[in-house]
Amino acid sequence: MNRVKMKTFDEILKHYLFKPDTFWPHDTVFHRRNREKIVKAREQVKDFDDDILLTRLKEDLDKRYQEERKTLYVISCGSSGCHFLGEMLSSIGNFDLIKEVYYPPELLRFCREGELCEKERMMLFDLVSYFPSRGVKNKKPDIVPVNIMHLRPDTPTTFVQKMGGHHLILLMRNPFDITYSRTFRKDDYRAEVDPAASDMDYLIKQINNVKRFYMLASQAVNVFDDVVRYEDLVRDPY
């Protein structure tokens, strides 16, 4: 990928909001979905022109930084009740489920290696989860986005915590039930990502995905503030 030259916080912010293909350039399902999420987030604030949106976002992110506002991450392997838990949280208090929102590798590079100051790095990291929330449109920078992204090697939880002390929940479920659900209950997703696979091949792929997730979650770079079991959540959600 040819890197677009961006050095300042404002330059990075503009490219993220208005040129998402800068950060998600590839023609893959994962990249397309993440481009679409940024476009969808812009649709929520379509009444703002570009300058007003930029000003509002910078004000909100600055206030969130000053007041140490957090994002709540519900990390799971998928098919583990993350939408269920997110919807429950969104029905109370100041939580807002933004579903799965991921961090582009290039943006993470700016947070780790760029020439930004610490405040700008944390604001840039916070942008990814705050922008899709209803906080921008409603001028509620105190909102708590609930991000149910899956665990990725390029976004270890220790780094997430370093970028603002965000709260992380590991949502676990019986691996057999996860594998069965991922293989046989999500036909639309399967048709999109691996339409030619046989049932057995797709099942083996999902088994390996679940094993990979739990091995990754057990590494020292991934720590969690709380661990919740799906089975307990269903049995007693309160």
Side-chain angles (χ1 to χ4, degrees), residues 38 45 56 67 81 119 146 160 188 197 202 205:
I38 297 173
V45 289
R56 170 71 66 86
E67 297 179 354
K119 174 183 175 180
V146 180
V160 174
D188 291 345
Y202 196 67
K205 182 177 180 179

Side-chain angles (χ1 to χ4, degrees), residues 20-223:
D21 57 332
T22 303
F23 291 95
W24 299 108
H26 302 305
D27 188 26
T28 63
V29 172
F30 185 65
H31 276 238
R32 286 198 304 272
R33 284 187 169 189
N34 281 285
R35 288 195 298 268
E36 290 166 1
K37 288 171 185 176
I38 297 173
V39 172
K40 184 177 179 180
R42 281 210 320 269
E43 280 294 306
Q44 293 183 146
V45 289
K46 61 184 178 182
D47 293 338
F48 301 159
D49 65 32
D50 292 355
D51 290 338
I52 291 176
L53 176 58
L54 287 167
T55 300
R56 170 71 66 86
L57 259 177
K58 287 196 291 185
E59 289 175 352
D60 284 4
L61 292 170
D62 181 78
K63 187 170 184 179
R64 285 175 62 80
Y65 174 81
Q66 299 296 338
E67 297 179 354
E68 299 184 347
R69 299 295 178 182
K70 314 298 183 189
T71 291
L72 174 63
Y73 295 85
V74 178
I75 308 293
S76 77
C77 186
S79 297
S80 301
C82 49
H83 287 267
F84 174 52
L85 177 55
E87 292 289 356
M88 281 201 305
L89 290 169
S90 287
S91 68
I92 60 175
N94 214 22
F95 295 102
D96 185 22
L97 176 62
I98 61 169
K99 300 185 179 179
E100 298 173 40
V101 180
Y102 292 92
Y103 291 81
E106 185 70 356
L107 185 139
L108 291 174
R109 186 183 71 82
F110 285 120
C111 291
R112 289 186 171 107
E113 307 168 9
E115 300 175 3
L116 305 178
C117 66
E118 180 184 78
K119 174 183 175 180
E120 290 174 329
R121 290 171 188 244
M122 290 192 181
M123 286 170 59
L124 187 62
F125 191 86
D126 191 31
L127 161 73
V128 175
S129 288
Y130 178 65
F131 181 49
S133 77
R134 62 176 184 269
V136 185
K137 181 177 181 179
N138 297 339
K139 192 59 177 174
K140 289 179 62 68
D142 60 339
I143 203 118
V144 182
V146 180
N147 191 339
I148 58 173
M149 70 178 194
H150 299 170
L151 193 59
R152 289 174 54 82
D154 63 1
T155 321
T157 64
T158 49
F159 180 70
V160 174
Q161 291 174 327
K162 183 180 177 181
M163 285 289 102
H166 303 285
H167 196 92
L168 294 120
I169 295 175
L170 174 62
L171 181 57
M172 302 178 68
R173 187 184 183 186
N174 184 321
F176 175 86
D177 292 331
I178 297 175
T179 304
Y180 184 89
S181 178
R182 289 173 66 104
T183 304
F184 300 112
R185 293 178 182 163
K186 295 189 174 182
D187 295 338
D188 291 345
Y189 179 74
R190 176 176 172 176
E192 187 176 16
V193 299
D194 204 351
S198 67
D199 284 351
M200 183 57 68
D201 288 342
Y202 196 67
L203 173 61
I204 292 171
K205 182 177 180 179
Q206 299 312 313
I207 290 172
N208 289 332
N209 285 340
V210 174
K211 287 172 61 178
R212 191 180 304 115
F213 169 81
Y214 280 108
M215 289 178 65
L216 183 59
S218 66
Q219 291 179 0
V221 293
N222 290 307
V223 295

